[in-house]
Amino acid sequence: AKDQGGGTFNIFSNGTDEYEKKQLMLENDLRNALETEQLIVHYQPVVDLSTGRLKSFEALVRWEHPELGLVPPGEFIPVAERSGLINDIGTRVLESSCRQVRRWHSANEQIGLAVNVSIRQFRNPHFPNLVKDVLEITQFPAHLLILEITESMMQDDSESVRIIEEIRTLGVKLAIDDFGTGYSSLSKLGFLPIDYLKIDRSFITEMLIHAPIQSIIQTIIDMGRNLDMELIAEGIEEEGQSLLLAECGCQFGQGYLFSKPLSAEEIEMTYSLSTLV
Ligand code: C2E
Ligand code: CA
Ligand code: CA
Ligand code: CA
């Protein structure tokens, strides 16, 4: 079936509903933003907690709105998902971030790239092929690409399993984002080939305040390690969190303690990653 994109949206059936009107305006603005290159990618470093070394960047989309300024993804991704625009946005983010980090490989060829994938992209039967095409076009090494999906996307229907397996066949890695918030059936973790678990920020925020949270984090880390997955903690803002996480066996982390998401130019200055080959 074709994407029921915003183009087929019936304005009149929704009449005067203010909310619907706003959504529709936002959707039109967003379609325009895509065409006029107002969507840009920021990059947040992921570091090795015990050495402090840079491991990878997570690509995070932003909307440079001509009047509103920088709009965070939380405000337009839901609209993009509802309208189907997320497919085009997602492809754009994947391609431009692969291209960008590929340039940085001339200074450091080990840098990984994590890209968020929405459920609508993931459910698209052509998704694995699309990823393959982007890897070819950008010459990005598959093993350095990590696709971040959420717990709710790993269902054990045959279609999801096929998509996950096709992605893995390309050599691309998979991460479960926001782990611990989705109440997924843990048994799935044992069957699906997942490389990384990203411990949700809510646990990290609470870990120094509520002692029981520490036990939960330790349990997630131990489980991940037993299943041969690597652990990434998100939302690290304090030195104490970083030290304790490293002690608990969590290898990687990201958060404001290390860096906020930065524009490509800012990343180049901070990490001396010249784009001149
Ligand atoms: P996420 O994938 O969980 O990304 C992490 C979010 O936490 C980012 O927010 C990041 O800026 C923020 N963050 C990182 N470190 C810290 C910290 O130490 N403290 C705090 N308070 N926040 C921190 P952002 O960039 O606003 O993105 C929000 C969400 O939007 C993302 O959550 C992701 O679900 C979605 N998103 C972003 N870019 C894309 C994209 O290209 N495609 C899709 N489908 N979703 C995206
Ligand atoms: Ca993410
Ligand atoms: Ca996350
Ligand atoms: Ca999140």
Side-chain angles (χ1 to χ4, degrees):
K2 267 262 168 216
D3 223 325
Q4 66 256 67
T8 61
F9 201 100
N10 190 339
I11 304 168
F12 301 104
S13 68
N14 288 280
T16 53
D17 187 336
E18 276 304 310
Y19 177 79
E20 291 289 349
K21 253 200 247 172
K22 250 196 172 150
Q23 293 295 303
L24 198 60
M25 265 170 56
L26 204 57
E27 196 186 310
N28 283 330
D29 276 5
L30 198 51
R31 183 169 291 109
N32 178 53
L34 195 58
E35 281 159 13
T36 58
E37 317 267 312
Q38 288 170 17
L39 296 181
I40 56 163
V41 180
H42 278 190
Y43 298 88
Q44 186 178 38
V46 176
V47 304
D48 187 312
L49 292 178
S50 47
T51 64
R53 275 186 54 182
L54 173 68
K55 170 192 167 40
S56 53
F57 291 111
E58 179 174 0
L60 294 157
V61 69
R62 269 99 183 86
W63 180 359
E64 272 185 320
H65 195 285
E67 285 123 46
L68 302 174
L70 218 57
V71 182
E75 293 184 26
F76 65 88
I77 292 284
V79 179
E81 289 195 349
R82 247 174 279 132
S83 62
L85 273 175
I86 191 69
N87 284 301
D88 287 345
I89 293 174
T91 306
R92 189 76 67 87
V93 169
L94 181 65
E95 187 177 337
S96 67
S97 58
C98 280
R99 220 180 274 288
Q100 181 64 70
V101 175
R102 184 67 190 143
R103 293 202 204 103
W104 294 338
H105 283 162
S106 56
N108 174 350
E109 61 185 21
Q110 309 286 331
I111 305 174
L113 167 66
V115 180
N116 293 285
V117 176
S118 93
I119 185 142
R120 200 139 168 190
Q121 290 173 272
F122 195 69
R123 284 287 149 77
N124 182 338
H126 304 297
F127 183 65
N129 262 324
L130 204 144
V131 174
K132 184 167 180 264
D133 289 347
V134 170
L135 290 172
E136 273 171 23
I137 292 166
T138 61
Q139 291 291 298
F140 194 88
H143 72 281
L144 293 177
L145 178 64
I146 303 164
L147 296 178
E148 297 194 357
I149 62 177
T150 55
E151 282 170 78
S152 56
M153 298 189 209
M154 357 175 277
Q155 296 181 359
D156 36 21
D157 60 295
S158 58
E159 184 62 5
S160 306
V161 172
R162 179 190 69 81
I163 290 178
I164 288 179
E165 279 170 356
E166 274 190 43
I167 289 169
R168 290 293 309 239
T169 304
L170 298 173
V172 170
K173 313 280 186 210
L174 283 167
I176 302 293
D177 205 353
D178 305 338
F179 187 75
T181 60
Y183 305 103
S184 69
S185 129
L186 285 178
S187 65
K188 284 182 208 156
L189 274 185
F191 293 105
L192 296 172
I194 302 295
D195 305 278
Y196 295 94
L197 283 188
K198 295 190 78 171
I199 308 170
D200 191 68
R201 170 157 64 91
S202 55
F203 294 106
I204 313 306
T205 307
E206 298 283 320
M207 68 181 291
L208 299 179
I209 307 164
H210 300 293
I213 299 292
Q214 263 178 56
S215 315
I216 294 175
I217 291 179
Q218 185 69 69
T219 303
I220 295 175
I221 293 172
D222 292 343
M223 183 194 66
R225 294 178 69 171
N226 286 333
L227 292 170
D228 263 338
M229 297 175 189
E230 305 211 67
L231 279 297
I232 303 174
E234 30 174 53
I236 302 177
E237 295 184 356
E238 296 168 40
E239 188 74 44
Q241 295 164 337
S242 176
L243 292 171
L244 192 56
L245 283 160
E247 228 170 79
C248 293
C250 179
Q251 195 179 354
F252 302 107
Q254 70 187 102
Y256 296 170
L257 174 68
F258 309 107
S259 170
K260 292 199 168 184
L262 302 171
S263 69
E265 296 72 33
E266 290 169 317
I267 291 285
E268 282 165 18
M269 291 191 292
T270 312
Y271 295 88
S272 317
L273 296 167
S274 169
T275 54
L276 301 171
V277 184

